[in-house]
Structures are given as C-alpha cells and as structure tokens.
Amino acid sequence: MMRLLAFILCRIFFKRISVSGTPYTGGSAIWAANHSSGIVDPAVMLGLAPVTIRPLAKHTLWEMPVMKQILQITKAIPVTRLQDIKKDVQAQKEMLQQGNFDPDWRAKANNEAFQAVGDALLKGDCILIFPEGVSHDDPYIYKFKTGLARMALQAMSRANDENFHVVVQPVVIDYSEKDEFRSELNLHYCEPVVITSADNSVNDIMDGVRESLEAGFASFFSWDEKRNWRFLFELSYGRQAYSSREFRIFVEKLRPEFDVDPILMARIQTMRRMMQAVNVSPIQLVWGDVNYKRRNFFWVIFRHGWFYLFLTLPIEFLGTIVWAIPSKFCESLAKKSTSDRDVRATMKIAHGMWFFPLWAFFTSSVFTYLLGAYLPHINKIVIWVAFLILTPTFLALSLMVRESINFFPGFLRLAKLRFFFPRGWYELMKEWREISDGVMLKIKSQEESKKPKQN
C-alpha cells in the first residue's frame, strides 16, 4: 500500500521520470542512494525501486505523530546521528557523564540499529541507506559515512551459510530542480558492489560504492553551473538527457573544452537566463526558429494553434485558477518556515500534502453553494461530490496539456516577441546562433581530437 502511494506521489510530483541501468533484484541487499531531499528521496526509492525496501531513518522522526505511523508501515529502522545528539542537550550531558565521547561512540549508541539491519539482511530483506548521512542542497555528493560498510560486514560475520553475501546497490537520484513542482527525475541504477567476506576493508567497500555512484552522477559546484550544462546539452542535441549517466558522460567529455573558455560559458548562462525570462526552452527556440517567417505564421496558427486555443488553453486556465492559490500558499509557508533550500523544498511538499486536499474540499463546497443557489432542485451532495472529483481532474488535465503540447505556446511567445519587439527578437536569435555555432565548433573539435591520427 505504501509503495503504491509513494509511486502515485512520484508520478504527480515529477512530469518526467527516467529510469536507467540494471538493478540487483535479489535479497540481502543494501540500496545506497545520494541524499538531495529529505522527504522526496525516500518516497522515490519506496515508489520506484523494483524491490520492497526498508529505510533507515533518524530516530527523531519517530517523535512526529504522522511520520511515526508511516515509518512503522514501511518497517523502517531508527538510527542515531551525531548532529541529532548534539541538538539534545540532556543527551549530551549524559554522554559526558558516561564518558562516551570516543571514536566508536556512535557504533555503541546504534547497537540496536546495527543488530536490526544485520537481522534484516540475514532474512533476505533489502535496506535503504543514504550514506551521506544528511540531506543537503548541493549538486554534488558529500563525504560518505562508514555505517553502510560496517553494517554489511557485521551481517557477514554472523552468517552461518558459506554462500551468503551482501550486495550494495548504488542508486543515483538526480533532479533537474529539486524544489520545483513537476520537475524531472533521473533515476540510475549503478554497478552493484558485492561483499563476499567479513574480512573486507571498510574503506575498500565505501570507495567501491562511491566510485560506482559517481560513475552515474555529474557533480557541480553550484546549481547555476548544473543548469548551464543542462542547457548546453539541450542546445547540442535538441533534446533532454535520457539518463543521469548519459548527462555525466557528456559533461565529463566536454568539460575540459568549455572550462578553458569562460567567456562562452558566461554567454551561455546569460542566454539561458534570457530564455528563462521569456519562458522559452532551447527545444522550443529551435522549433520557433524553423517556423518564424511571416508567411508561415498564419499557417502555423491554423495547423498547430486551433487545438491549443479552443480546447487545451481553457483546461489549462481552469486548472491554474483551481490550484494557483494553494500552490502559492504552500510556497509562502515553506519560505517562512526556513531559509534553507533543502528544508524549504521538504516543507513545501509537507504543507501541500495537507493543504491541497483541504483546498479541494473548500472549493467544492463553495461551488456547490453557488450552484445550489441558482439550481435549488438539484441534489447538493451530488454536486459537491462532482466538484470534488473535478478539482483534481482539472489539475491533472492542465498538467498534461501544459507538458505534452509545449511547442505551440513557446511559438506564441516567440511570435509576440518578433512582431511587437523585433529588435529584441533579432538580438535573441543573433546571440542564439552565435552560441550554437560556438558550441558545435567545440564539440566537433573535441570529437576530431579523439580520432586516431593517420600517418
């Protein structure tokens, strides 16, 4: 039940989910993923992993009423973290009195967690661990904690079967925009790491897991740099990356060429922000460039516009009217809750889970009252149930319309820019073509340098 709910939430929250790689689907496995979002990451793994997994979670979550029930349903295992202990003054005083500040104090504090994980692995269960130990807001992977390896080795030491082994399945969770509703998710299953002996080194295991994870994840110093490279990929191939692994290979291959040309990268960033301001993507700009001539404008309107203007635009408008207020309200509550971007993204989702259903009940009641005043002979309960069903339906339809038929609205924005601001259109297209030519030249130069030289 919880897996189904998590799967539905993932499909609602993300407009595109790309899954790549071949996962290990056997038992006695530890699923290790990077941790970019406190709530979304576990939901993604619970809903999209091909096996049933039991997550490890910080012990403080068991103090939250609703979260406690969810963790119990998923059979989660509590774990004590250093940063949580430091927040608890009383616990810190007790540790000082007991003299537990030694290198292995966390292992002692988590003896029950290690025991529970060992028991689960010996039974053939799959455990979800985020080896970074904390969710964060940076587009790169933090230093790993060693708990994953120590738990696996403890299970190996307790095994009676000579053929028993623990498999670590690294998973890349890569968001296009982590705190944006209807963003894109790339989920990549990396090469598994097999632990066959209790004598394996902790450092060797963790190095193997990190190496496997980084092979499918492109790291950046900032989100702005990541957005520039995503823009660069779309500009180069006219599409989005199919997987985080493909995007990582693209960045790794071309980064040396573009790092030596900061002027071109600055122009790419400026171009990306200009197009973001007019709400046009690189793919839309390519499509608009082909159809921008005056003599083609009315033909494009006739061929592509009638369906959008007369059917999909009203649906999109109604969906926006119904859901714009709760979306802004949840975003405002999240901003007031914290200034941390990662926590803010989590709080926005948490507020949405209670406010969106409440808003659906409220709007259904208002529409029922207004319609009942004009049509008193109609059963109000039937009207209320109908509106309650229609409100999420309008949201779903408006999202489908906005995301599946995205070329024509972009063309309309480009056409408006061209006809009403011709100078702006000219400058935009001139800069676009110059950047495109520069990027293609660098890619061609890089490909030719890789070719073997003939004598």
Side-chain angles (χ1 to χ4, degrees), residues 186-294:
N186 288 321
L187 194 70
H188 180 70
Y189 301 118
C190 306
E191 189 70 23
V193 176
V194 183
I195 304 171
T196 57
S197 171
D199 297 328
N200 286 81
S201 166
V202 170
N203 291 334
D204 289 344
I205 293 172
M206 297 310 301
D207 289 344
V209 173
R210 187 175 186 91
E211 182 180 346
S212 177
L213 200 63
E214 288 181 340
F217 184 81
S219 295
F220 301 94
F221 291 109
S222 66
W223 278 94
D224 241 8
E225 185 187 10
K226 182 175 183 177
R227 295 184 188 103
N228 292 341
W229 277 95
R230 285 177 57 85
F231 181 86
L232 192 58
F233 186 97
E234 293 181 15
L235 189 151
S236 304
Y237 294 104
R239 61 173 177 83
Q240 297 166 333
Y242 293 136
S243 68
S244 60
R245 170 71 176 166
E246 181 188 26
F247 183 53
R248 195 257 184 195
I249 293 173
F250 171 81
V251 174
E252 183 182 27
K253 181 174 68 174
L254 295 177
R255 180 170 264 167
E257 291 287 336
F258 286 90
D259 281 350
V260 297
D261 194 347
I263 296 177
L264 179 59
M265 289 303 295
R267 293 178 67 186
I268 289 172
Q269 176 167 300
T270 303
M271 185 69 186
R272 176 182 65 80
R273 290 177 174 175
M274 286 172 58
M275 294 176 62
Q276 185 179 4
V278 296
N279 197 19
V280 175
S281 69
I283 302 173
Q284 289 175 334
L285 189 58
V286 172
W287 192 85
D289 192 17
V290 175
N291 298 279
Y292 83 99
K293 296 179 181 178
R294 285 180 183 271

